[in-house]
Amino acid sequence: MDFNNNQAYTFSKDPHSFSNPNLAHVHHVDWDLKVDFDQKKISGSGVYHIRHQQAPEIVLDVHHLRIICAWLDDEEQPEEFTFRGEKPFLGQGLQIPLKPGTQKIRLAFETTPASGALQWLEPEQTAGKTETFLFTQSQAILARTWLPCQDSPSVRFTYTARVQVPPNLLPLMSADNPQEKNNSGTYFFRMDQPIPSYLLSLAIGDLAFAPLGERCGVYAEPSSLEAAAYEFAETEQMLLAAKNLYGPYRWGRYDLLVLPPSFPFGGMENPKLTFATPTIIAGDRSLTSLVAHELAHSWSGNLVTNATWNDFWLNEGFTVYFERRIMEALYGQDYAQMLHWLGYQDLRHTLEELSAKPQDTCLKLNLENRDPDEGLTEIAYEKGNLFLCRLEALVGRARFDAFVNKYFSTFQFTSMDTARFEQFLEKELVNGDEELKQKVNASAWIHSPGIPEGIAPQKARLFEKVAAELQRWETGTLARQLATHNWSTHEWLYFLSNLPKNLSLTQMQELDEAFGFTASGNAEIQAEWLRHSIRHGYKEAYPALEAFLVRVGRRKFLLPLYKALLETEEGTGLAREIYRKARPNYHSVSTSSLDALLLQTP
Ligand code: BES
Ligand code: ZN
């Protein structure tokens, strides 16, 4: 079988897109966009270059987007268009009839207040507090809420964009980016490598740039630029380590953008420009595995892309594995082992939580008629990673790395589904070795729930001493007398996640006085502590809890905190009260998960 034949490329059937790229597909777009902060609206047009063989029509995805007009090629007469479908969370198919020789279609459109990818921020929601801000989040299927597109990860296209913004703001995209503002407010972008729609992105704000090396830099609001540049100073080294592991970096520059704290994710691998939450700026570079993660997506995800959201584990499992290889290259094995162990703990919690939905714990998912967001669990990340670690252990690092290298070079700039991955694995790694095939047991990992028996990562060496100190505390040693100096963030996270289930308020107080968790400047540590505080009714931490929930919009922190509050009646009241205040600061990705839990039904 030929894995990379662009001529006869067949697009995977995608249950989350109305488009049919096998009949007609978009391969390049030129957008012209105007961003209006007063009306909170992006309006503009796009010229879509298409390929087809006398297809009667082309279908694009749109959702909460207003289509104003459509034209074929350079015709002046508008073309009729119709909408197909209309399904909750999927939106509609925009159907445009084609003539036999049509090469381009032009569309005029504008976003609406319901365009879920967009978050428009007031100045108070930014670091500088003086300028407005806009950012997009397209993954998984929100690109169609701000740009008409064939919104399936198996369709790739190049693009350019002309973007007009207010003169005091700088726009950035997943493309070649400007490093400073100009006087006209008009900027031109190009992305020469073909990308899927979920990687389309735009951010606009009072942004400044600081270089981090030859090919790397960071954008942030001026007041946080210095802290960001310090935190991410090792980015270029990560890029070097990544290239050494799995082959050339195909995207030119690699820059980071620090967003306001309402950004709903830790990071998003928008090509050439990773979007990142400011909550990883801890002051001590201890949360930068997130940068390694988003950087690793430049190979796993952006270069070789999951064909549908059912194959999401191919993006995230590979990326988690790769992230930890980068961290190991920079900081050594002990460090990487801590990340693996913490990830494994999370995986075990997720397996428990999903015990009533065992099918959702297979690597290959079936998300038909469901929001692809439901596939965003630790299964794709940590079970995927564990499977790859298992492969590495079975064949040895040298052979496994050669396999991964070949995977990226063979399939670069194409999409991959789970079945084709299984074939490639069989051919390139198993290669007729029956005994190895048994041990690999790919179909159990991929198509069966849970983790195969007897599988666990090696326990991190550095956590042994944390476990010993925990034990000492539980048997009477005072918290402030524990040997905790030199502990890194990860050791603290292990400590917090392995505290005994039931603590007295006196014990909570003792820990807090000894270690200052409530006031921790490290968002991971603080969030984990706040969760304990809710569980134990440790009220001293509630003002910090409220401040955190009002400021931070990162869904990974919000869900566990609100869920913990909802476990008691008193907490439920508080959760609703805080949510009322905090909700205006959350992106739709976060509110769509939280509304169901927290909005009172009358
Ligand atoms: N691509 C994901 C974020 C994502 C996944 C957004 C699916 C929408 C749908 C990104 O690479 C990611 O995994 N982010 C993680 C951080 C990572 C270190 C585990 C996050 O945001 O927490
Ligand atoms: Zn990821």
Side-chain angles (χ1 to χ4, degrees):
M1 164 163 189
D2 186 358
F3 286 103
N4 190 8
N5 182 343
N6 280 315
Q7 251 89 52
Y9 196 84
T10 32
F11 296 90
S12 306
K13 170 123 193 55
D14 182 349
H16 298 111
S17 172
F18 289 97
S19 68
N20 184 351
N22 285 315
L23 285 182
H25 73 269
V26 172
H27 67 93
H28 177 83
V29 193
D30 297 306
W31 276 298
D32 192 348
L33 306 172
K34 184 167 178 288
V35 184
D36 181 339
F37 278 87
D38 293 328
Q39 291 192 58
K40 298 195 166 68
K41 189 167 84 179
I42 301 178
S43 53
S45 63
V47 176
Y48 294 71
H49 298 246
I50 64 179
R51 283 203 188 104
H52 65 106
Q53 262 144 18
Q54 313 214 340
E57 65 187 26
I58 186 165
V59 182
L60 276 69
D61 294 289
V62 293
H63 191 197
H64 296 311
L65 197 57
R66 205 165 84 78
I67 302 301
I68 298 163
C69 202
W71 299 265
L72 298 187
D73 290 315
D74 298 315
E75 290 175 17
E76 268 167 36
Q77 182 69 26
E79 184 65 42
E80 299 267 315
F81 55 86
T82 48
F83 293 104
R84 163 201 294 184
E86 177 75 66
K87 285 203 191 162
F89 59 79
L90 295 186
Q92 297 163 306
L94 166 64
Q95 210 167 318
I96 303 146
L98 300 177
K99 295 177 181 162
T102 309
Q103 294 187 352
K104 290 181 293 191
I105 52 174
R106 188 154 58 91
L107 297 173
F109 57 88
E110 62 186 27
T111 62
T112 70
S115 292
L118 305 179
Q119 193 178 6
W120 302 88
L121 298 174
E122 300 299 330
E124 306 77 63
Q125 293 168 287
T126 68
K129 316 247 179 268
T130 59
E131 303 292 340
T132 52
F133 202 106
L134 167 69
F135 68 84
T136 63
Q137 167 59 41
S138 296
Q139 196 182 10
I141 53 168
L142 296 176
R144 66 188 70 173
T145 72
W146 68 288
L147 297 166
C149 57
Q150 292 190 311
D151 200 7
S152 167
S154 71
V155 180
R156 311 180 85 88
F157 51 88
T158 51
Y159 75 88
T160 68
R162 186 175 167 269
V163 180
Q164 203 188 321
V165 302
N168 47 339
L169 303 180
L170 181 70
L172 301 170
M173 293 189 84
S174 41
D176 288 329
N177 277 303
Q179 293 184 346
E180 54 189 41
K181 294 171 195 164
N182 63 32
N183 292 326
S184 68
T186 300
Y187 295 81
F188 191 76
F189 299 87
R190 59 186 305 139
M191 171 48 99
D192 287 330
Q193 293 91 334
I195 60 163
S197 55
Y198 78 90
L199 297 174
L200 288 168
S201 59
L202 172 66
I204 303 168
D206 179 17
L207 293 165
F209 174 80
L212 297 172
E214 221 177 293
R215 265 157 319 167
C216 300
V218 60
Y219 294 88
E221 290 185 62
S223 65
S224 37
L225 189 60
E226 198 183 321
Y230 174 81
E231 205 76 16
F232 305 132
E234 288 143 324
T235 306
E236 188 112 6
Q237 260 171 279
M238 291 183 178
L239 181 60
L240 277 175
K243 291 196 322 174
N244 287 339
L245 283 166
Y246 297 131
Y249 178 74
R250 304 269 176 203
W251 307 91
R253 291 192 57 83
Y254 179 76
D255 294 318
L256 293 157
L257 165 63
V258 178
L259 286 134
S262 68
F263 187 60
F265 292 105
M268 178 63 214
E269 66 272 27
N270 297 316
K272 289 171 170 279
L273 182 68
T274 283
F275 282 23
T277 170
T279 61
I280 56 168
I281 300 182
D284 60 1
R285 301 178 179 167
S286 66
L287 299 175
T288 57
S289 62
L290 185 133
V291 175
H293 179 97
E294 305 312 335
L295 171 66
H297 273 306
S298 306
W299 288 259
S300 41
N302 300 3
L303 203 55
V304 181
T305 308
N306 55 204
T308 75
W309 300 115
N310 290 332
D311 309 298
F312 183 54
W313 79 275
L314 288 172
N315 271 19
E316 296 300 343
F318 266 94
T319 299
V320 170
Y321 175 82
F322 193 170
E323 158 210 321
R324 292 177 191 160
R325 291 295 301 276
I326 296 171
M327 296 311 273
E328 182 184 323
L330 265 72
Y331 306 107
Q333 229 180 346
D334 279 336
Y335 194 106
Q337 272 186 4
M338 291 197 288
L339 297 176
H340 279 299
W341 191 263
L342 291 172
Y344 178 63
Q345 286 189 168
D346 291 343
L347 175 60
R348 292 223 311 237
H349 289 142
T350 299
L351 286 168
E352 253 165 60
E353 274 173 12
L354 290 176
S355 59
K357 296 183 188 168
Q359 280 315 308
D360 286 356
T361 70
C362 300
L363 288 177
K364 168 82 179 179
L365 298 172
N366 179 4
L367 296 168
E368 186 147 14
N369 297 319
R370 293 167 73 187
D371 190 329
D373 218 43
E374 291 186 39
L376 216 181
T377 72
E378 295 294 347
I379 301 302
Y381 289 80
E382 296 294 343
K383 182 181 172 184
N385 165 66
L386 210 54
F387 177 38
L388 299 175
C389 288
R390 170 76 175 152
L391 295 177
E392 183 202 320
L394 286 172
V395 301
R397 192 166 264 195
R399 250 177 89 190
F400 187 64
D401 282 353
F403 166 77
V404 177
N405 259 290
K406 188 159 182 186
Y407 175 70
F408 290 135
S409 63
T410 309
F411 301 113
Q412 55 175 311
F413 297 110
T414 69
S415 60
M416 175 58 55
D417 65 25
T418 302
R420 287 198 302 137
F421 171 78
E422 288 180 82
Q423 287 172 35
F424 187 72
L425 177 70
E426 179 92 25
K427 178 163 165 259
E428 296 292 332
L429 203 71
V430 175
N431 198 11
D433 180 340
E434 271 309 310
E435 196 187 325
L436 179 60
K437 187 180 159 126
Q438 297 292 318
K439 286 188 186 149
V440 165
N441 204 2
S443 80
W445 281 95
I446 293 171
H447 304 289
S448 298
I451 357 184
E453 216 166 304
I455 301 285
Q458 202 182 337
K459 183 143 191 194
R461 192 179 65 88
L462 294 175
F463 289 160
E464 306 285 358
K465 64 176 191 334
V466 182
E469 293 307 303
L470 261 171
Q471 178 79 36
R472 291 216 303 144
W473 182 62
E474 283 173 55
T475 52
T477 308
L478 291 176
R480 62 183 160 77
Q481 287 170 343
L482 299 179
T484 62
H485 61 268
N486 287 337
W487 279 8
S488 71
T489 296
H490 305 101
E491 282 138 322
W492 282 114
L493 289 174
Y494 180 88
F495 181 84
L496 287 169
S497 57
N498 289 284
L499 281 171
K501 284 253 165 337
N502 293 306
L503 297 174
S504 67
L505 286 176
T506 324
Q507 284 176 308
M508 287 293 289
Q509 209 152 24
E510 190 204 349
L511 290 172
D512 206 8
E513 274 168 20
F515 306 126
F517 292 135
T518 299
S520 173
N522 185 302
E524 293 279 350
I525 291 176
Q526 198 189 23
E528 184 65 11
W529 174 252
L530 291 173
R531 208 168 54 88
H532 282 293
S533 302
I534 297 166
R535 284 231 188 113
H536 293 97
Y538 177 61
K539 299 266 164 60
E540 281 88 333
Y542 282 22
L545 170 68
E546 175 165 339
F548 186 91
L549 290 173
V550 167
R551 183 174 57 87
V552 176
R554 186 174 171 190
R555 190 170 63 174
K556 170 184 139 178
F557 292 144
L558 304 184
L559 278 172
L561 291 172
Y562 280 112
K563 279 185 182 163
L565 281 169
L566 288 170
E567 270 167 31
T568 65
E569 203 171 306
E570 197 192 349
T572 303
L574 184 59
R576 294 200 162 130
E577 196 186 310
I578 296 177
Y579 190 56
R580 212 173 328 112
K581 283 187 222 163
R583 194 178 182 281
N585 191 42
Y586 297 159
H587 186 274
S588 78
V589 154
S590 295
T591 55
S592 62
S593 319
L594 290 167
D595 281 355
L597 297 175
L598 287 154
L599 286 188
Q600 227 141 0
T601 35

